[in-house]
Amino acid sequence: DQQVKQNSPSLSVQEGRISILNCDYTNSMFDYFLWYKKYPAEGPTFLISISSIKDKNEDGRFTVFLNKSAKHLSLHIVPSQPGDSAVYFCAARPGGSEKLVFGKGTKLTVNP
Amino acid sequence: DGGITQSPKYLFRKEGQNVTLSCEQNLNHDAMYWYRQDPGQGLRLIYYSQIVNDFQKGDIAEGYSVSREKKESFPLTVTSAQKNPTAFYLCASTRRGGVRVTGELFFGEGSRLTVL
Protein backbone atom coordinates (compact mmCIF):
# COMPACT_ATOMS: atom_id res chain seq x y z
CA ASP A 1 0.00 0.00 0.00
CA GLN A 2 1.65 3.16 -1.19
CA GLN A 3 1.09 5.90 1.35
CA VAL A 4 2.86 8.65 -0.60
CA LYS A 5 2.04 8.89 -4.27
CA GLN A 6 3.67 10.89 -7.00
CA ASN A 7 1.46 10.06 -9.93
CA SER A 8 3.50 11.83 -12.59
CA PRO A 9 6.72 9.97 -13.36
CA SER A 10 7.99 12.85 -15.44
CA LEU A 11 7.41 16.53 -16.18
CA SER A 12 8.90 18.76 -18.85
CA VAL A 13 8.81 22.58 -18.72
CA GLN A 14 10.46 25.48 -20.47
CA GLU A 15 13.11 27.52 -18.76
CA GLY A 16 11.60 30.52 -17.00
CA ARG A 17 8.17 28.95 -16.60
CA ILE A 18 6.64 27.45 -13.48
CA SER A 19 7.19 23.81 -12.55
CA ILE A 20 4.51 22.21 -10.38
CA LEU A 21 5.22 18.82 -8.85
CA ASN A 22 2.42 17.04 -7.07
CA CYS A 23 2.21 14.54 -4.24
CA ASP A 24 -0.78 12.82 -2.65
CA TYR A 25 -0.82 10.92 0.62
CA THR A 26 -3.21 8.60 2.36
CA ASN A 27 -2.01 8.54 5.97
CA SER A 28 -3.63 11.29 8.05
CA MET A 29 -1.00 10.67 10.76
CA PHE A 30 1.70 12.35 8.65
CA ASP A 31 2.77 15.54 10.43
CA TYR A 32 5.75 16.69 8.40
CA PHE A 33 6.42 16.71 4.67
CA LEU A 34 9.65 17.18 2.76
CA TRP A 35 10.86 17.48 -0.80
CA TYR A 36 14.21 16.07 -1.88
CA LYS A 37 16.04 16.62 -5.14
CA LYS A 38 18.22 13.92 -6.66
CA TYR A 39 20.69 14.00 -9.52
CA PRO A 40 21.72 10.71 -11.22
CA ALA A 41 24.22 8.61 -9.26
CA GLU A 42 24.05 10.97 -6.29
CA GLY A 43 22.24 10.95 -2.99
CA PRO A 44 19.10 13.05 -2.54
CA THR A 45 19.48 16.51 -1.07
CA PHE A 46 16.91 18.22 1.09
CA LEU A 47 15.05 21.01 -0.66
CA ILE A 48 12.17 22.30 1.42
CA SER A 49 9.76 21.09 4.09
CA ILE A 50 6.43 21.95 5.65
CA SER A 51 4.77 21.10 8.92
CA SER A 52 1.18 19.90 8.88
CA ILE A 53 0.13 22.97 10.87
CA LYS A 54 1.03 25.22 7.95
CA ASP A 55 -0.31 25.46 4.42
CA LYS A 56 2.59 27.18 2.72
CA ASN A 57 6.34 27.46 3.03
CA GLU A 58 8.57 29.46 0.76
CA ASP A 59 12.30 29.45 0.16
CA GLY A 60 13.53 31.51 -2.75
CA ARG A 61 12.25 30.04 -5.99
CA PHE A 62 10.70 27.06 -4.19
CA THR A 63 7.29 27.04 -2.53
CA VAL A 64 5.52 24.07 -1.02
CA PHE A 65 1.76 24.10 -0.55
CA LEU A 66 -0.13 21.72 1.71
CA ASN A 67 -3.84 20.99 1.43
CA LYS A 68 -4.62 18.74 4.37
CA SER A 69 -8.28 18.24 3.55
CA ALA A 70 -7.31 16.93 0.12
CA LYS A 71 -4.20 15.15 1.45
CA HIS A 72 -2.22 16.84 -1.27
CA LEU A 73 0.98 18.82 -1.42
CA SER A 74 2.73 20.48 -4.29
CA LEU A 75 6.11 21.98 -4.99
CA HIS A 76 6.26 25.10 -7.16
CA ILE A 77 9.49 26.20 -8.78
CA VAL A 78 9.44 29.69 -10.24
CA PRO A 79 11.21 30.47 -12.49
CA SER A 80 12.43 27.05 -13.56
CA GLN A 81 16.07 26.73 -14.56
CA PRO A 82 17.90 23.97 -16.48
CA GLY A 83 19.86 23.17 -13.31
CA ASP A 84 16.56 22.20 -11.68
CA SER A 85 16.41 19.14 -13.92
CA ALA A 86 16.47 16.22 -11.50
CA VAL A 87 14.24 13.65 -9.83
CA TYR A 88 12.12 15.13 -7.05
CA PHE A 89 10.98 12.93 -4.17
CA CYS A 90 8.14 13.76 -1.86
CA ALA A 91 8.53 12.34 1.67
CA ALA A 92 6.31 12.30 4.73
CA ARG A 93 6.80 11.54 8.40
CA PRO A 94 4.20 9.78 10.51
CA GLY A 95 3.88 11.68 13.79
CA GLY A 96 6.39 10.42 16.36
CA SER A 97 8.03 8.08 13.89
CA GLU A 98 11.71 7.66 13.11
CA LYS A 99 10.94 6.88 9.49
CA LEU A 100 10.27 8.88 6.37
CA VAL A 101 7.98 7.44 3.73
CA PHE A 102 9.02 8.35 0.20
CA GLY A 103 7.11 8.61 -3.05
CA LYS A 104 8.46 7.12 -6.26
CA GLY A 105 9.72 10.43 -7.56
CA THR A 106 9.03 12.73 -10.50
CA LYS A 107 11.69 13.41 -13.08
CA LEU A 108 11.70 17.11 -13.97
CA THR A 109 13.30 18.27 -17.18
CA VAL A 110 13.71 22.00 -17.72
CA ASN A 111 14.41 22.79 -21.36
CA PRO A 112 16.53 25.84 -22.27
CA ASP B 1 34.14 19.49 5.06
CA GLY B 2 31.50 17.51 6.92
CA GLY B 3 29.56 14.88 5.11
CA ILE B 4 28.64 11.27 4.59
CA THR B 5 31.00 8.99 2.70
CA GLN B 6 29.80 5.78 1.15
CA SER B 7 32.13 3.22 -0.38
CA PRO B 8 32.52 1.65 -2.77
CA LYS B 9 30.53 3.70 -5.28
CA TYR B 10 30.15 0.71 -7.60
CA LEU B 11 30.36 -2.94 -6.62
CA PHE B 12 29.96 -6.15 -8.56
CA ARG B 13 29.54 -9.48 -6.81
CA LYS B 14 28.65 -13.00 -7.71
CA GLU B 15 25.37 -14.46 -6.54
CA GLY B 16 25.62 -16.10 -3.13
CA GLN B 17 28.37 -13.85 -1.82
CA ASN B 18 27.94 -11.52 1.13
CA VAL B 19 29.00 -7.95 0.55
CA THR B 20 29.49 -5.06 2.99
CA LEU B 21 28.82 -1.44 2.10
CA SER B 22 30.60 1.21 4.13
CA CYS B 23 29.03 4.40 5.48
CA GLU B 24 31.01 6.95 7.47
CA GLN B 25 29.87 10.40 8.63
CA ASN B 26 31.75 13.25 10.28
CA LEU B 27 28.69 15.38 10.95
CA ASN B 28 28.50 14.27 14.59
CA HIS B 29 25.03 12.96 13.86
CA ASP B 30 23.49 10.45 16.23
CA ALA B 31 21.05 8.72 13.90
CA MET B 32 21.98 6.81 10.76
CA TYR B 33 19.86 5.07 8.14
CA TRP B 34 20.14 2.73 5.17
CA TYR B 35 17.75 3.04 2.24
CA ARG B 36 17.44 1.10 -0.96
CA GLN B 37 16.33 2.57 -4.28
CA ASP B 38 15.16 0.51 -7.25
CA PRO B 39 14.30 1.92 -10.69
CA GLY B 40 10.91 3.62 -10.65
CA GLN B 41 10.62 3.10 -6.91
CA GLY B 42 10.82 5.37 -3.94
CA LEU B 43 13.40 4.97 -1.23
CA ARG B 44 12.69 2.08 1.10
CA LEU B 45 14.11 1.88 4.62
CA ILE B 46 16.30 -1.14 5.40
CA TYR B 47 17.70 -0.42 8.89
CA TYR B 48 18.22 2.56 11.14
CA SER B 49 20.15 3.33 14.29
CA GLN B 50 19.54 6.08 16.83
CA ILE B 51 22.58 5.43 19.03
CA VAL B 52 25.71 3.33 19.15
CA ASN B 53 25.16 -0.39 19.67
CA ASP B 54 21.46 -0.13 18.89
CA PHE B 55 19.56 -0.46 15.61
CA GLN B 56 16.06 -1.28 14.37
CA LYS B 57 14.69 -3.00 11.31
CA GLY B 58 13.07 -0.90 8.67
CA ASP B 59 10.48 -2.01 6.13
CA ILE B 60 12.70 -4.35 4.09
CA ALA B 61 15.32 -5.70 6.53
CA GLU B 62 15.22 -9.33 5.39
CA GLY B 63 18.55 -10.44 3.92
CA TYR B 64 20.47 -7.50 5.38
CA SER B 65 22.46 -6.95 8.56
CA VAL B 66 24.06 -3.88 10.16
CA SER B 67 26.27 -2.91 13.07
CA ARG B 68 26.80 0.36 14.92
CA GLU B 69 29.99 0.04 16.95
CA LYS B 70 30.99 3.65 16.45
CA LYS B 71 28.92 6.81 16.15
CA GLU B 72 30.56 7.66 12.83
CA SER B 73 30.08 4.31 11.12
CA PHE B 74 27.06 2.25 10.05
CA PRO B 75 28.08 -0.55 7.65
CA LEU B 76 25.45 -2.59 5.80
CA THR B 77 25.98 -6.23 4.87
CA VAL B 78 23.95 -7.60 2.00
CA THR B 79 23.80 -11.32 2.65
CA SER B 80 23.23 -14.20 0.30
CA ALA B 81 19.73 -14.46 1.77
CA GLN B 82 18.69 -11.22 0.07
CA LYS B 83 16.65 -12.42 -2.92
CA ASN B 84 17.17 -9.42 -5.19
CA PRO B 85 20.22 -7.47 -4.01
CA THR B 86 20.97 -5.49 -7.17
CA ALA B 87 20.03 -1.90 -6.28
CA PHE B 88 21.27 1.58 -5.39
CA TYR B 89 21.95 1.84 -1.65
CA LEU B 90 21.82 5.12 0.21
CA CYS B 91 23.11 5.89 3.67
CA ALA B 92 21.73 8.87 5.57
CA SER B 93 22.14 10.55 8.92
CA THR B 94 20.45 13.18 11.02
CA ARG B 95 20.84 15.05 14.26
CA ARG B 96 19.92 13.91 17.77
CA GLY B 97 16.43 12.57 17.97
CA GLY B 98 16.46 11.48 14.40
CA VAL B 99 13.61 11.95 12.03
CA ARG B 100 11.14 12.33 14.90
CA VAL B 101 12.65 15.67 15.86
CA THR B 102 14.12 17.18 12.71
CA GLY B 103 12.54 15.33 9.80
CA GLU B 104 15.50 16.13 7.57
CA LEU B 105 17.94 13.47 6.42
CA PHE B 106 21.41 14.05 5.00
CA PHE B 107 22.32 11.49 2.37
CA GLY B 108 25.58 10.07 1.08
CA GLU B 109 26.20 9.69 -2.64
CA GLY B 110 25.15 6.07 -2.72
CA SER B 111 26.60 2.68 -3.64
CA ARG B 112 25.41 0.78 -6.66
CA LEU B 113 25.53 -2.97 -6.13
CA THR B 114 25.20 -5.32 -9.07
CA VAL B 115 24.97 -9.03 -8.45
CA LEU B 116 25.96 -11.11 -11.46
Side-chain angles (χ1 to χ4, degrees):
Chain A
D1 177 32
Q2 201 182 347
Q3 298 184 62
V4 176
K5 300 178 186 178
Q6 293 179 257
N7 292 319
S8 298
S10 62
L11 175 68
S12 183
V13 300
Q14 284 300 119
E15 181 178 5
R17 307 293 284 265
I18 184 172
S19 296
I20 301 176
L21 296 99
N22 294 304
C23 180
D24 297 296
Y25 62 95
T26 57
N27 189 343
S28 46
M29 298 302 292
F30 288 147
D31 67 350
Y32 200 70
F33 302 88
L34 307 93
W35 285 94
Y36 283 84
K37 175 180 178 180
K38 183 182 181 301
Y39 294 115
E42 292 184 10
T45 55
F46 169 75
L47 193 57
I48 192 169
S49 62
I50 187 167
S51 166
S52 61
I53 62 173
K54 295 186 175 182
D55 54 20
K56 177 182 174 182
N57 188 25
E58 203 168 347
D59 184 3
R61 296 186 297 114
F62 302 92
T63 303
V64 56
F65 295 92
L66 176 63
N67 182 335
K68 281 204 304 183
S69 60
K71 293 193 175 66
H72 177 84
L73 69 155
S74 60
L75 174 68
H76 292 211
I77 307 174
V78 184
S80 301
Q81 299 173 355
D84 296 329
S85 297
V87 176
Y88 289 78
F89 288 98
C90 173
R93 182 187 72 189
S97 174
E98 300 297 345
K99 305 177 187 180
L100 289 182
V101 180
F102 284 84
K104 292 186 177 183
T106 297
K107 183 177 181 181
L108 173 65
T109 302
V110 180
N111 301 303
Chain B
D1 285 354
I4 300 175
T5 302
Q6 290 187 239
S7 62
K9 198 169 176 74
Y10 299 96
L11 186 60
F12 296 87
R13 277 295 180 267
K14 291 183 180 178
E15 199 171 325
Q17 288 182 328
N18 290 359
V19 70
T20 297
L21 307 179
S22 169
C23 177
E24 304 277 331
Q25 54 96 0
N26 59 3
L27 298 166
N28 199 30
H29 284 171
D30 291 285
M32 297 186 74
Y33 301 76
W34 274 105
Y35 282 87
R36 167 180 173 144
Q37 185 192 11
D38 295 283
Q41 299 290 323
L43 280 64
R44 292 182 291 168
L45 182 63
I46 304 173
Y47 267 99
Y48 62 102
S49 168
Q50 299 299 303
I51 56 172
V52 174
N53 292 324
D54 188 43
F55 46 83
Q56 286 76 42
K57 292 182 179 180
D59 300 317
I60 55 165
E62 185 175 350
Y64 299 98
S65 66
V66 293
S67 63
R68 187 87 187 274
E69 297 176 2
K70 298 186 300 181
K71 183 176 181 177
E72 304 78 22
S73 178
F74 191 41
L76 173 74
T77 297
V78 185
T79 75
S80 56
Q82 167 50 232
K83 297 266 190 290
N84 188 16
T86 294
F88 188 56
Y89 291 88
L90 286 158
C91 180
S93 70
T94 192
R95 303 179 192 94
R96 181 176 295 277
V99 167
R100 191 180 338 129
V101 173
T102 67
E104 180 184 344
L105 293 174
F106 296 81
F107 283 89
E109 294 202 338
S111 293
R112 182 165 297 281
L113 171 64
T114 302
V115 175
L116 306 171

